[in-house]
Amino acid sequence: MDTDSVKQLETSLKGKEIGHKIHFLNKINSTQNYSRYLLKNCGLPLHGVVVIAKEQSAGRGRMGRKWISPPGGLWMSIILQSWLTPKRIPIIQFISALAVADSISTLTSLECTNKWPNDLLVRGKKICGVIVDVDFEGNNANQAIIGIGLNANFSANNMNDLENQIKVSRLTTLRDELGYDIHLLNLTKLILERLEYYYSLLKEDKIKVIIEIWKKRSDLFGRVVTVEDGKDIFHGLAMGVDDNGVLEIKLSDGSVREVLFGDVNLSIKPYRLNDQPDLASN
Ligand code: BTN
């Protein structure tokens, strides 16, 4: 990707809601921070504006984590300023992950699965993460910045970062999975087009439809998972996701715990719903 090809991409998306204007940077600390800077300083409407960087020096992940962002990846933020009602906000992460999953499936033979709330996995390893930064004024959001980090044309072996070594072993990239490099510009175009499509569903409040599509791409449900919600670590049966994007976990005492925020991982043994899981032993 370079300035010229990104200009062509921008031209091809003219008139669309998402991607009609694209800022392309060789290196930045974080496209999320740069988008925030635009929102603070630009004064113009920025709905649908996209920021892409070749490399990030301080990429941000969820829960305060660092996001390793070498050249070859897709490091992209998308600014939203319209249609942000409170019930739509938590669904933005699902439509973003779906847009990426659809695009990878269209352009490659890889099978992507969704992991709540917004990770994409290939063969159980994380290939893409999504973060959504929201600015609220009272109950209403003024703006949201979607951040998409897709490990594409580099190898996970090159993600040398001592601090994150253990995590790195759970990551993969398109290059590692495919054995070749993907045309990043075509992939980006598709992601932005799919995001526009899912955003149109969201604007019509077709949240149930979105969640059902998202669930079809997930292998979490009916399985015992381990949840880390920032306060506790606990196990339970993943039951579903409600219309607010909340994950429902059935605990061993039969009660259902709602998880709004956190990380979830499959427990090692893949129980199905009609088995009788001994949750205490997981
Ligand atoms: C996660 O923790 O899974 C979310 C990772 C999101 C990373 C992307 S890369 C583009 C954008 N800029 C950032 O600093 N973070 C997001």
Side-chain angles (χ1 to χ4, degrees):
M1 245 196 247
D2 57 25
T3 313
D4 287 345
S5 57
V6 172
K7 266 274 155 263
Q8 283 169 21
L9 171 61
E10 190 186 74
T11 308
S12 74
L13 294 170
K14 270 266 162 308
K16 302 250 185 198
E17 185 170 354
I18 290 173
H20 57 87
K21 172 79 195 154
I22 304 178
H23 293 257
F24 180 68
L25 307 149
N26 275 316
K27 191 166 180 176
I28 190 76
N29 51 12
S30 152
T31 56
Q32 292 296 97
N33 296 354
Y34 188 80
S35 303
R36 200 167 277 282
Y37 166 84
L38 288 178
L39 285 164
K40 242 186 166 173
N41 297 290
C42 182
L44 296 167
L46 292 169
H47 181 68
V49 167
V50 171
V51 177
I52 298 174
K54 253 187 173 167
E55 193 179 346
Q56 296 184 120
S57 55
R60 286 198 283 115
R62 289 173 58 243
M63 302 169 86
R65 292 181 192 128
K66 180 174 169 183
W67 184 262
I68 308 168
S69 323
L74 176 61
W75 320 126
M76 172 162 81
S77 298
I78 300 121
I79 300 174
L80 301 177
Q81 288 181 306
S82 306
W83 316 97
L84 298 171
T85 61
K87 67 176 179 181
R88 290 178 188 150
I89 297 289
I91 312 304
I92 294 173
Q93 58 192 343
F94 296 98
I95 64 169
S96 307
L98 274 176
V100 179
D102 283 6
S103 307
I104 292 177
S105 299
T106 304
L107 291 184
T108 76
S109 54
L110 299 177
E111 205 180 306
C112 273
T113 52
N114 289 328
K115 184 162 83 75
W116 185 91
N118 43 24
D119 289 352
L120 283 185
L121 311 182
V122 172
R123 292 190 307 117
K125 291 185 169 190
K126 180 157 166 172
I127 202 157
C128 175
V130 172
I131 190 170
V132 182
D133 292 335
V134 185
D135 280 344
F136 281 100
E137 211 176 81
N139 267 343
N140 290 315
N142 287 334
Q143 50 217 21
I145 307 169
I146 302 173
I148 294 177
L150 174 60
N151 300 333
N153 297 336
F154 62 91
S155 172
N157 294 333
N158 298 340
M159 295 167 98
N160 290 324
D161 186 294
L162 284 178
E163 213 188 306
N164 286 284
Q165 201 105 107
I166 303 163
K167 303 255 169 59
V168 164
S169 68
R170 288 198 234 138
L171 299 179
T172 191
T173 72
L174 289 175
R175 181 188 283 173
D176 288 345
E177 297 301 325
L178 294 166
Y180 61 85
D181 282 358
I182 191 147
H183 196 292
L184 211 49
L185 201 77
N186 288 350
L187 181 62
T188 308
K189 181 169 193 277
L190 213 49
I191 292 172
L192 294 173
E193 287 171 349
R194 291 309 288 166
L195 187 60
E196 174 131 350
Y197 164 70
Y198 284 115
Y199 200 51
S200 71
L201 295 185
L202 189 59
K203 288 191 297 193
E204 291 167 22
D205 286 321
K206 294 194 171 147
I207 293 176
K208 268 194 179 21
V209 175
I210 293 168
I211 297 286
E212 282 314 310
I213 302 173
W214 184 90
K215 274 165 71 177
K216 282 206 179 101
R217 279 198 182 271
S218 178
D219 58 3
L220 276 187
F221 303 104
R223 299 176 81 175
V224 176
V225 294
T226 304
V227 182
E228 286 185 56
D229 69 358
K231 282 185 277 162
D232 292 336
I233 299 183
F234 58 95
H235 311 287
L237 207 56
M239 305 293 289
V241 171
D242 74 9
D243 289 358
N244 299 312
V246 171
L247 177 67
E248 297 160 331
I249 302 288
K250 189 168 186 177
L251 305 179
S252 53
D253 66 3
S255 64
V256 174
R257 180 157 169 177
E258 297 192 328
V259 187
L260 286 95
F261 174 80
D263 265 345
V264 53
N265 282 298
L266 284 178
S267 291
I268 295 158
K269 223 173 154 189
Y271 294 105
R272 308 305 312 182
L273 249 183
N274 46 5
D275 293 341
Q276 294 290 313
D278 172 10
L279 297 179
S281 70
N282 268 278

